[in-house]
PDB file of all heavy atoms in Angstrom:
ATOM      1  N   GLN Q   1       2.014 -51.245  79.525  1.00  0.00           N
ATOM      2  CA  GLN Q   1       1.045 -52.375  79.765  1.00  0.00           C
ATOM      3  C   GLN Q   1       1.150 -53.394  78.623  1.00  0.00           C
ATOM      4  O   GLN Q   1       0.957 -54.546  78.924  1.00  0.00           O
ATOM      5  CB  GLN Q   1      -0.307 -51.776  79.874  1.00  0.00           C
ATOM      6  CG  GLN Q   1      -0.613 -51.046  81.238  1.00  0.00           C
ATOM      7  CD  GLN Q   1      -2.001 -50.384  81.379  1.00  0.00           C
ATOM      8  OE1 GLN Q   1      -2.711 -50.321  80.291  1.00  0.00           O
ATOM      9  NE2 GLN Q   1      -2.306 -49.888  82.483  1.00  0.00           N
ATOM     10  N   PHE Q   2       1.315 -52.898  77.405  1.00  0.00           N
ATOM     11  CA  PHE Q   2       1.495 -53.841  76.306  1.00  0.00           C
ATOM     12  C   PHE Q   2       2.821 -54.631  76.505  1.00  0.00           C
ATOM     13  O   PHE Q   2       2.784 -55.863  76.253  1.00  0.00           O
ATOM     14  CB  PHE Q   2       1.644 -53.046  74.914  1.00  0.00           C
ATOM     15  CG  PHE Q   2       0.361 -52.689  74.371  1.00  0.00           C
ATOM     16  CD1 PHE Q   2       0.088 -51.312  73.988  1.00  0.00           C
ATOM     17  CD2 PHE Q   2      -0.736 -53.591  74.157  1.00  0.00           C
ATOM     18  CE1 PHE Q   2      -1.138 -50.982  73.357  1.00  0.00           C
ATOM     19  CE2 PHE Q   2      -1.876 -53.217  73.592  1.00  0.00           C
ATOM     20  CZ  PHE Q   2      -2.049 -51.889  73.192  1.00  0.00           C
ATOM     21  N   GLY Q   3       3.802 -54.050  77.059  1.00  0.00           N
ATOM     22  CA  GLY Q   3       5.061 -54.749  77.364  1.00  0.00           C
ATOM     23  C   GLY Q   3       4.872 -55.832  78.333  1.00  0.00           C
ATOM     24  O   GLY Q   3       5.433 -56.921  78.220  1.00  0.00           O
ATOM     25  N   GLN Q   4       4.091 -55.472  79.470  1.00  0.00           N
ATOM     26  CA  GLN Q   4       3.805 -56.474  80.579  1.00  0.00           C
ATOM     27  C   GLN Q   4       3.029 -57.657  79.968  1.00  0.00           C
ATOM     28  O   GLN Q   4       3.255 -58.781  80.315  1.00  0.00           O
ATOM     29  CB  GLN Q   4       3.093 -55.829  81.662  1.00  0.00           C
ATOM     30  CG  GLN Q   4       2.833 -56.609  82.818  1.00  0.00           C
ATOM     31  CD  GLN Q   4       4.078 -57.282  83.440  1.00  0.00           C
ATOM     32  OE1 GLN Q   4       5.090 -56.564  83.529  1.00  0.00           O
ATOM     33  NE2 GLN Q   4       3.862 -58.517  83.935  1.00  0.00           N
ATOM     34  N   LEU Q   5       2.048 -57.352  79.165  1.00  0.00           N
ATOM     35  CA  LEU Q   5       1.252 -58.394  78.556  1.00  0.00           C
ATOM     36  C   LEU Q   5       2.049 -59.317  77.695  1.00  0.00           C
ATOM     37  O   LEU Q   5       1.868 -60.491  77.691  1.00  0.00           O
ATOM     38  CB  LEU Q   5       0.041 -57.737  77.818  1.00  0.00           C
ATOM     39  CG  LEU Q   5      -0.991 -58.682  77.223  1.00  0.00           C
ATOM     40  CD1 LEU Q   5      -1.650 -59.648  78.227  1.00  0.00           C
ATOM     41  CD2 LEU Q   5      -2.133 -57.888  76.530  1.00  0.00           C
ATOM     42  N   ALA Q   6       2.930 -58.713  76.918  1.00  0.00           N
ATOM     43  CA  ALA Q   6       3.780 -59.531  76.001  1.00  0.00           C
ATOM     44  C   ALA Q   6       4.741 -60.370  76.891  1.00  0.00           C
ATOM     45  O   ALA Q   6       4.875 -61.600  76.546  1.00  0.00           O
ATOM     46  CB  ALA Q   6       4.696 -58.466  75.269  1.00  0.00           C
ATOM     47  N   LYS Q   7       5.204 -59.836  78.000  1.00  0.00           N
ATOM     48  CA  LYS Q   7       6.096 -60.691  78.903  1.00  0.00           C
ATOM     49  C   LYS Q   7       5.228 -61.902  79.382  1.00  0.00           C
ATOM     50  O   LYS Q   7       5.822 -62.977  79.433  1.00  0.00           O
ATOM     51  CB  LYS Q   7       6.571 -59.835  79.989  1.00  0.00           C
ATOM     52  CG  LYS Q   7       7.548 -60.579  80.977  1.00  0.00           C
ATOM     53  CD  LYS Q   7       8.034 -59.538  82.018  1.00  0.00           C
ATOM     54  CE  LYS Q   7       8.923 -60.257  83.002  1.00  0.00           C
ATOM     55  NZ  LYS Q   7       9.503 -59.388  84.042  1.00  0.00           N
ATOM     56  N   GLU Q   8       4.056 -61.660  79.865  1.00  0.00           N
ATOM     57  CA  GLU Q   8       3.159 -62.787  80.401  1.00  0.00           C
ATOM     58  C   GLU Q   8       2.915 -63.765  79.327  1.00  0.00           C
ATOM     59  O   GLU Q   8       2.970 -64.970  79.606  1.00  0.00           O
ATOM     60  CB  GLU Q   8       1.909 -62.182  81.021  1.00  0.00           C
ATOM     61  CG  GLU Q   8       2.109 -61.370  82.224  1.00  0.00           C
ATOM     62  CD  GLU Q   8       0.822 -60.716  82.715  1.00  0.00           C
ATOM     63  OE1 GLU Q   8      -0.289 -61.258  82.268  1.00  0.00           O
ATOM     64  OE2 GLU Q   8       0.844 -59.770  83.462  1.00  0.00           O
ATOM     65  N   LEU Q   9       2.596 -63.335  78.125  1.00  0.00           N
ATOM     66  CA  LEU Q   9       2.213 -64.189  77.104  1.00  0.00           C
ATOM     67  C   LEU Q   9       3.505 -65.092  76.672  1.00  0.00           C
ATOM     68  O   LEU Q   9       3.379 -66.311  76.324  1.00  0.00           O
ATOM     69  CB  LEU Q   9       1.657 -63.521  75.863  1.00  0.00           C
ATOM     70  CG  LEU Q   9       0.258 -62.955  76.050  1.00  0.00           C
ATOM     71  CD1 LEU Q   9       0.010 -61.868  74.992  1.00  0.00           C
ATOM     72  CD2 LEU Q   9      -0.728 -64.072  76.040  1.00  0.00           C
ATOM     73  N   ARG Q  10       4.661 -64.481  76.643  1.00  0.00           N
ATOM     74  CA  ARG Q  10       5.867 -65.210  76.391  1.00  0.00           C
ATOM     75  C   ARG Q  10       6.114 -66.327  77.296  1.00  0.00           C
ATOM     76  O   ARG Q  10       6.556 -67.397  76.980  1.00  0.00           O
ATOM     77  CB  ARG Q  10       7.055 -64.242  76.276  1.00  0.00           C
ATOM     78  CG  ARG Q  10       8.327 -64.814  75.697  1.00  0.00           C
ATOM     79  CD  ARG Q  10       9.464 -63.932  75.779  1.00  0.00           C
ATOM     80  NE  ARG Q  10       9.202 -62.639  75.147  1.00  0.00           N
ATOM     81  CZ  ARG Q  10      10.166 -61.723  74.854  1.00  0.00           C
ATOM     82  NH1 ARG Q  10      11.496 -62.015  75.207  1.00  0.00           N
ATOM     83  NH2 ARG Q  10       9.902 -60.612  74.349  1.00  0.00           N
ATOM     84  N   GLN Q  11       5.887 -66.020  78.605  1.00  0.00           N
ATOM     85  CA  GLN Q  11       6.085 -67.027  79.684  1.00  0.00           C
ATOM     86  C   GLN Q  11       5.145 -68.174  79.507  1.00  0.00           C
ATOM     87  O   GLN Q  11       5.441 -69.307  79.909  1.00  0.00           O
ATOM     88  CB  GLN Q  11       5.899 -66.406  81.080  1.00  0.00           C
ATOM     89  CG  GLN Q  11       7.030 -65.427  81.446  1.00  0.00           C
ATOM     90  CD  GLN Q  11       6.748 -64.584  82.671  1.00  0.00           C
ATOM     91  OE1 GLN Q  11       5.569 -64.591  83.178  1.00  0.00           O
ATOM     92  NE2 GLN Q  11       7.709 -63.977  83.189  1.00  0.00           N
ATOM     93  N   GLN Q  12       3.923 -67.916  78.881  1.00  0.00           N
ATOM     94  CA  GLN Q  12       3.014 -68.919  78.669  1.00  0.00           C
ATOM     95  C   GLN Q  12       3.174 -69.612  77.259  1.00  0.00           C
ATOM     96  O   GLN Q  12       2.328 -70.370  76.877  1.00  0.00           O
ATOM     97  CB  GLN Q  12       1.569 -68.361  78.752  1.00  0.00           C
ATOM     98  CG  GLN Q  12       1.211 -67.865  80.202  1.00  0.00           C
ATOM     99  CD  GLN Q  12      -0.141 -67.108  80.208  1.00  0.00           C
ATOM    100  OE1 GLN Q  12      -1.026 -67.566  79.559  1.00  0.00           O
ATOM    101  NE2 GLN Q  12      -0.188 -66.067  80.938  1.00  0.00           N
ATOM    102  N   ASP Q  13       4.248 -69.216  76.631  1.00  0.00           N
ATOM    103  CA  ASP Q  13       4.626 -69.794  75.278  1.00  0.00           C
ATOM    104  C   ASP Q  13       3.550 -69.477  74.272  1.00  0.00           C
ATOM    105  O   ASP Q  13       3.392 -70.250  73.209  1.00  0.00           O
ATOM    106  CB  ASP Q  13       4.760 -71.309  75.434  1.00  0.00           C
ATOM    107  CG  ASP Q  13       5.709 -71.837  74.399  1.00  0.00           C
ATOM    108  OD1 ASP Q  13       6.627 -71.122  73.934  1.00  0.00           O
ATOM    109  OD2 ASP Q  13       5.541 -73.088  74.020  1.00  0.00           O
ATOM    110  N   CYS Q  14       2.874 -68.427  74.362  1.00  0.00           N
ATOM    111  CA  CYS Q  14       2.007 -67.847  73.264  1.00  0.00           C
ATOM    112  C   CYS Q  14       2.791 -66.824  72.557  1.00  0.00           C
ATOM    113  O   CYS Q  14       2.563 -65.558  72.577  1.00  0.00           O
ATOM    114  CB  CYS Q  14       0.747 -67.200  73.925  1.00  0.00           C
ATOM    115  SG  CYS Q  14      -0.294 -68.424  74.967  1.00  0.00           S
ATOM    116  N   LEU Q  15       3.736 -67.281  71.755  1.00  0.00           N
ATOM    117  CA  LEU Q  15       4.700 -66.482  71.129  1.00  0.00           C
ATOM    118  C   LEU Q  15       4.159 -65.374  70.125  1.00  0.00           C
ATOM    119  O   LEU Q  15       4.484 -64.269  70.153  1.00  0.00           O
ATOM    120  CB  LEU Q  15       5.770 -67.288  70.451  1.00  0.00           C
ATOM    121  CG  LEU Q  15       6.509 -68.231  71.300  1.00  0.00           C
ATOM    122  CD1 LEU Q  15       7.614 -69.025  70.568  1.00  0.00           C
ATOM    123  CD2 LEU Q  15       7.077 -67.566  72.485  1.00  0.00           C
ATOM    124  N   GLN Q  16       3.223 -65.880  69.319  1.00  0.00           N
ATOM    125  CA  GLN Q  16       2.647 -64.932  68.296  1.00  0.00           C
ATOM    126  C   GLN Q  16       1.787 -63.810  68.989  1.00  0.00           C
ATOM    127  O   GLN Q  16       1.800 -62.747  68.455  1.00  0.00           O
ATOM    128  CB  GLN Q  16       1.905 -65.763  67.207  1.00  0.00           C
ATOM    129  CG  GLN Q  16       0.568 -66.265  67.586  1.00  0.00           C
ATOM    130  CD  GLN Q  16       0.741 -67.685  68.192  1.00  0.00           C
ATOM    131  OE1 GLN Q  16       1.785 -68.096  68.811  1.00  0.00           O
ATOM    132  NE2 GLN Q  16      -0.240 -68.541  67.917  1.00  0.00           N
ATOM    133  N   TYR Q  17       1.107 -64.145  69.962  1.00  0.00           N
ATOM    134  CA  TYR Q  17       0.280 -63.145  70.633  1.00  0.00           C
ATOM    135  C   TYR Q  17       1.184 -62.162  71.364  1.00  0.00           C
ATOM    136  O   TYR Q  17       0.954 -60.849  71.370  1.00  0.00           O
ATOM    137  CB  TYR Q  17      -0.680 -63.771  71.700  1.00  0.00           C
ATOM    138  CG  TYR Q  17      -1.682 -64.688  70.983  1.00  0.00           C
ATOM    139  CD1 TYR Q  17      -1.834 -65.993  71.369  1.00  0.00           C
ATOM    140  CD2 TYR Q  17      -2.478 -64.201  69.950  1.00  0.00           C
ATOM    141  CE1 TYR Q  17      -2.796 -66.810  70.786  1.00  0.00           C
ATOM    142  CE2 TYR Q  17      -3.405 -64.991  69.364  1.00  0.00           C
ATOM    143  CZ  TYR Q  17      -3.530 -66.321  69.768  1.00  0.00           C
ATOM    144  OH  TYR Q  17      -4.468 -67.141  69.160  1.00  0.00           O
ATOM    145  N   ALA Q  18       2.334 -62.729  71.921  1.00  0.00           N
ATOM    146  CA  ALA Q  18       3.285 -61.726  72.572  1.00  0.00           C
ATOM    147  C   ALA Q  18       3.885 -60.867  71.504  1.00  0.00           C
ATOM    148  O   ALA Q  18       4.125 -59.699  71.771  1.00  0.00           O
ATOM    149  CB  ALA Q  18       4.370 -62.576  73.305  1.00  0.00           C
ATOM    150  N   ALA Q  19       4.097 -61.435  70.301  1.00  0.00           N
ATOM    151  CA  ALA Q  19       4.740 -60.592  69.259  1.00  0.00           C
ATOM    152  C   ALA Q  19       3.698 -59.427  68.810  1.00  0.00           C
ATOM    153  O   ALA Q  19       4.111 -58.295  68.623  1.00  0.00           O
ATOM    154  CB  ALA Q  19       5.021 -61.416  68.012  1.00  0.00           C
ATOM    155  N   PHE Q  20       2.437 -59.704  68.775  1.00  0.00           N
ATOM    156  CA  PHE Q  20       1.413 -58.696  68.518  1.00  0.00           C
ATOM    157  C   PHE Q  20       1.513 -57.621  69.573  1.00  0.00           C
ATOM    158  O   PHE Q  20       1.291 -56.396  69.270  1.00  0.00           O
ATOM    159  CB  PHE Q  20       0.055 -59.312  68.371  1.00  0.00           C
ATOM    160  CG  PHE Q  20      -0.204 -60.008  67.061  1.00  0.00           C
ATOM    161  CD1 PHE Q  20      -0.546 -61.376  67.067  1.00  0.00           C
ATOM    162  CD2 PHE Q  20      -0.049 -59.358  65.837  1.00  0.00           C
ATOM    163  CE1 PHE Q  20      -0.735 -62.007  65.880  1.00  0.00           C
ATOM    164  CE2 PHE Q  20      -0.273 -60.007  64.705  1.00  0.00           C
ATOM    165  CZ  PHE Q  20      -0.570 -61.382  64.679  1.00  0.00           C
ATOM    166  N   CYS Q  21       1.620 -57.916  70.826  1.00  0.00           N
ATOM    167  CA  CYS Q  21       1.713 -57.006  71.912  1.00  0.00           C
ATOM    168  C   CYS Q  21       2.969 -56.131  71.753  1.00  0.00           C
ATOM    169  O   CYS Q  21       2.939 -54.924  71.989  1.00  0.00           O
ATOM    170  CB  CYS Q  21       1.760 -57.666  73.300  1.00  0.00           C
ATOM    171  SG  CYS Q  21       0.144 -58.366  73.709  1.00  0.00           S
ATOM    172  N   ASN Q  22       4.065 -56.758  71.337  1.00  0.00           N
ATOM    173  CA  ASN Q  22       5.336 -55.968  71.075  1.00  0.00           C
ATOM    174  C   ASN Q  22       5.082 -55.008  69.938  1.00  0.00           C
ATOM    175  O   ASN Q  22       5.654 -53.915  70.003  1.00  0.00           O
ATOM    176  CB  ASN Q  22       6.469 -56.943  70.811  1.00  0.00           C
ATOM    177  CG  ASN Q  22       7.173 -57.353  72.053  1.00  0.00           C
ATOM    178  OD1 ASN Q  22       7.510 -56.519  72.945  1.00  0.00           O
ATOM    179  ND2 ASN Q  22       7.271 -58.656  72.283  1.00  0.00           N
ATOM    180  N   LEU Q  23       4.347 -55.419  68.941  1.00  0.00           N
ATOM    181  CA  LEU Q  23       4.113 -54.478  67.750  1.00  0.00           C
ATOM    182  C   LEU Q  23       3.230 -53.299  68.236  1.00  0.00           C
ATOM    183  O   LEU Q  23       3.549 -52.147  67.860  1.00  0.00           O
ATOM    184  CB  LEU Q  23       3.295 -55.233  66.697  1.00  0.00           C
ATOM    185  CG  LEU Q  23       4.033 -56.013  65.630  1.00  0.00           C
ATOM    186  CD1 LEU Q  23       3.146 -56.747  64.720  1.00  0.00           C
ATOM    187  CD2 LEU Q  23       4.945 -55.096  64.899  1.00  0.00           C
ATOM    188  N   ALA Q  24       2.281 -53.521  69.103  1.00  0.00           N
ATOM    189  CA  ALA Q  24       1.462 -52.421  69.714  1.00  0.00           C
ATOM    190  C   ALA Q  24       2.402 -51.549  70.484  1.00  0.00           C
ATOM    191  O   ALA Q  24       2.242 -50.283  70.429  1.00  0.00           O
ATOM    192  CB  ALA Q  24       0.368 -52.904  70.563  1.00  0.00           C
ATOM    193  N   MET Q  25       3.385 -52.125  71.261  1.00  0.00           N
ATOM    194  CA  MET Q  25       4.244 -51.317  72.027  1.00  0.00           C
ATOM    195  C   MET Q  25       5.155 -50.466  71.109  1.00  0.00           C
ATOM    196  O   MET Q  25       5.395 -49.317  71.426  1.00  0.00           O
ATOM    197  CB  MET Q  25       5.079 -52.324  72.856  1.00  0.00           C
ATOM    198  CG  MET Q  25       6.059 -51.659  73.899  1.00  0.00           C
ATOM    199  SD  MET Q  25       6.973 -52.890  74.777  1.00  0.00           S
ATOM    200  CE  MET Q  25       8.140 -51.871  75.572  1.00  0.00           C
ATOM    201  N   ALA Q  26       5.476 -51.005  69.999  1.00  0.00           N
ATOM    202  CA  ALA Q  26       6.405 -50.317  69.016  1.00  0.00           C
ATOM    203  C   ALA Q  26       5.604 -49.068  68.466  1.00  0.00           C
ATOM    204  O   ALA Q  26       6.148 -48.052  68.304  1.00  0.00           O
ATOM    205  CB  ALA Q  26       6.807 -51.257  67.851  1.00  0.00           C
ATOM    206  N   ARG Q  27       4.283 -49.271  68.201  1.00  0.00           N
ATOM    207  CA  ARG Q  27       3.478 -48.153  67.769  1.00  0.00           C
ATOM    208  C   ARG Q  27       3.493 -46.953  68.825  1.00  0.00           C
ATOM    209  O   ARG Q  27       3.477 -45.801  68.484  1.00  0.00           O
ATOM    210  CB  ARG Q  27       2.131 -48.624  67.325  1.00  0.00           C
ATOM    211  CG  ARG Q  27       2.083 -49.413  66.041  1.00  0.00           C
ATOM    212  CD  ARG Q  27       0.613 -49.559  65.490  1.00  0.00           C
ATOM    213  NE  ARG Q  27      -0.141 -50.442  66.338  1.00  0.00           N
ATOM    214  CZ  ARG Q  27      -0.150 -51.802  66.241  1.00  0.00           C
ATOM    215  NH1 ARG Q  27       0.486 -52.346  65.189  1.00  0.00           N
ATOM    216  NH2 ARG Q  27      -0.862 -52.514  67.023  1.00  0.00           N
ATOM    217  N   CYS Q  28       3.285 -47.416  70.071  1.00  0.00           N
ATOM    218  CA  CYS Q  28       3.286 -46.444  71.130  1.00  0.00           C
ATOM    219  C   CYS Q  28       4.586 -45.663  71.198  1.00  0.00           C
ATOM    220  O   CYS Q  28       4.630 -44.405  71.335  1.00  0.00           O
ATOM    221  CB  CYS Q  28       2.916 -47.115  72.484  1.00  0.00           C
ATOM    222  SG  CYS Q  28       1.375 -47.839  72.609  1.00  0.00           S
ATOM    223  N   GLU Q  29       5.705 -46.424  71.124  1.00  0.00           N
ATOM    224  CA  GLU Q  29       6.977 -45.756  71.153  1.00  0.00           C
ATOM    225  C   GLU Q  29       7.230 -44.880  70.002  1.00  0.00           C
ATOM    226  O   GLU Q  29       7.883 -43.758  70.145  1.00  0.00           O
ATOM    227  CB  GLU Q  29       8.092 -46.834  71.195  1.00  0.00           C
ATOM    228  CG  GLU Q  29       8.102 -47.753  72.448  1.00  0.00           C
ATOM    229  CD  GLU Q  29       8.266 -46.969  73.782  1.00  0.00           C
ATOM    230  OE1 GLU Q  29       8.993 -45.946  73.740  1.00  0.00           O
ATOM    231  OE2 GLU Q  29       7.665 -47.394  74.758  1.00  0.00           O
ATOM    232  N   GLN Q  30       6.687 -45.158  68.845  1.00  0.00           N
ATOM    233  CA  GLN Q  30       6.788 -44.323  67.655  1.00  0.00           C
ATOM    234  C   GLN Q  30       5.993 -42.999  67.906  1.00  0.00           C
ATOM    235  O   GLN Q  30       6.407 -41.894  67.564  1.00  0.00           O
ATOM    236  CB  GLN Q  30       6.200 -45.047  66.455  1.00  0.00           C
ATOM    237  CG  GLN Q  30       6.309 -44.196  65.198  1.00  0.00           C
ATOM    238  CD  GLN Q  30       5.637 -44.956  63.962  1.00  0.00           C
ATOM    239  OE1 GLN Q  30       4.545 -45.428  64.097  1.00  0.00           O
ATOM    240  NE2 GLN Q  30       6.285 -44.913  62.788  1.00  0.00           N
ATOM    241  N   THR Q  31       4.810 -43.140  68.526  1.00  0.00           N
ATOM    242  CA  THR Q  31       3.980 -41.911  68.832  1.00  0.00           C
ATOM    243  C   THR Q  31       4.746 -41.011  69.919  1.00  0.00           C
ATOM    244  O   THR Q  31       4.641 -39.841  69.773  1.00  0.00           O
ATOM    245  CB  THR Q  31       2.627 -42.373  69.483  1.00  0.00           C
ATOM    246  OG1 THR Q  31       1.951 -43.251  68.608  1.00  0.00           O
ATOM    247  CG2 THR Q  31       1.787 -41.174  69.787  1.00  0.00           C
ATOM    248  N   LEU Q  32       5.538 -41.688  70.644  1.00  0.00           N
ATOM    249  CA  LEU Q  32       6.283 -40.904  71.773  1.00  0.00           C
ATOM    250  C   LEU Q  32       7.657 -40.339  71.128  1.00  0.00           C
ATOM    251  O   LEU Q  32       8.417 -39.732  71.954  1.00  0.00           O
ATOM    252  CB  LEU Q  32       6.580 -41.787  72.969  1.00  0.00           C
ATOM    253  CG  LEU Q  32       5.362 -42.221  73.768  1.00  0.00           C
ATOM    254  CD1 LEU Q  32       5.664 -43.255  74.733  1.00  0.00           C
ATOM    255  CD2 LEU Q  32       4.761 -41.004  74.486  1.00  0.00           C
ATOM    256  N   PHE Q  33       7.901 -40.692  69.889  1.00  0.00           N
ATOM    257  CA  PHE Q  33       9.149 -40.340  69.263  1.00  0.00           C
ATOM    258  C   PHE Q  33      10.356 -40.872  69.943  1.00  0.00           C
ATOM    259  O   PHE Q  33      11.355 -40.309  70.047  1.00  0.00           O
ATOM    260  CB  PHE Q  33       9.255 -38.772  69.167  1.00  0.00           C
ATOM    261  CG  PHE Q  33       8.174 -38.159  68.335  1.00  0.00           C
ATOM    262  CD1 PHE Q  33       7.145 -37.446  69.050  1.00  0.00           C
ATOM    263  CD2 PHE Q  33       8.220 -38.227  66.986  1.00  0.00           C
ATOM    264  CE1 PHE Q  33       6.085 -36.937  68.281  1.00  0.00           C
ATOM    265  CE2 PHE Q  33       7.159 -37.607  66.260  1.00  0.00           C
ATOM    266  CZ  PHE Q  33       6.119 -36.967  66.872  1.00  0.00           C
ATOM    267  N   ASN Q  34      10.165 -42.112  70.473  1.00  0.00           N
ATOM    268  CA  ASN Q  34      11.213 -42.841  71.107  1.00  0.00           C
ATOM    269  C   ASN Q  34      11.736 -43.897  70.152  1.00  0.00           C
ATOM    270  O   ASN Q  34      11.335 -45.041  70.239  1.00  0.00           O
ATOM    271  CB  ASN Q  34      10.829 -43.426  72.378  1.00  0.00           C
ATOM    272  CG  ASN Q  34      11.843 -44.196  73.199  1.00  0.00           C
ATOM    273  OD1 ASN Q  34      13.014 -44.112  72.888  1.00  0.00           O
ATOM    274  ND2 ASN Q  34      11.390 -45.055  74.084  1.00  0.00           N
ATOM    275  N   ALA Q  35      12.705 -43.550  69.222  1.00  0.00           N
ATOM    276  CA  ALA Q  35      13.164 -44.375  68.277  1.00  0.00           C
ATOM    277  C   ALA Q  35      13.806 -45.685  68.824  1.00  0.00           C
ATOM    278  O   ALA Q  35      13.608 -46.840  68.327  1.00  0.00           O
ATOM    279  CB  ALA Q  35      14.130 -43.698  67.252  1.00  0.00           C
ATOM    280  N   PRO Q  36      14.698 -45.543  69.815  1.00  0.00           N
ATOM    281  CA  PRO Q  36      15.446 -46.692  70.435  1.00  0.00           C
ATOM    282  C   PRO Q  36      14.353 -47.736  70.913  1.00  0.00           C
ATOM    283  O   PRO Q  36      14.511 -48.979  70.748  1.00  0.00           O
ATOM    284  CB  PRO Q  36      16.281 -46.227  71.518  1.00  0.00           C
ATOM    285  CG  PRO Q  36      16.601 -44.780  71.094  1.00  0.00           C
ATOM    286  CD  PRO Q  36      15.308 -44.292  70.484  1.00  0.00           C
ATOM    287  N   GLY Q  37      13.333 -47.204  71.650  1.00  0.00           N
ATOM    288  CA  GLY Q  37      12.266 -48.123  72.180  1.00  0.00           C
ATOM    289  C   GLY Q  37      11.494 -48.690  71.080  1.00  0.00           C
ATOM    290  O   GLY Q  37      11.169 -49.963  71.149  1.00  0.00           O
TER     291      GLY Q  37
END
């Protein structure tokens, strides 16, 4: 869901907000021990 929100925000040219969503997504992937993600 963070990834989907980041995609929508990027399409609306809200780049810094999309970046924050990607950061949240990275924290989730870290919790899942998914290093590539």
Side-chain angles (χ1 to χ4, degrees):
Q1 289 177 349
F2 278 129
Q4 181 59 35
L5 184 55
K7 184 178 178 181
E8 292 176 19
L9 288 165
R10 188 183 306 190
Q11 289 171 347
Q12 295 172 41
D13 208 27
C14 300
L15 302 183
Q16 70 270 35
Y17 297 125
F20 284 122
C21 290
N22 273 307
L23 273 179
M25 185 179 173
R27 286 193 292 271
C28 292
E29 297 299 328
Q30 184 185 42
T31 304
L32 295 168
F33 299 101
N34 179 15

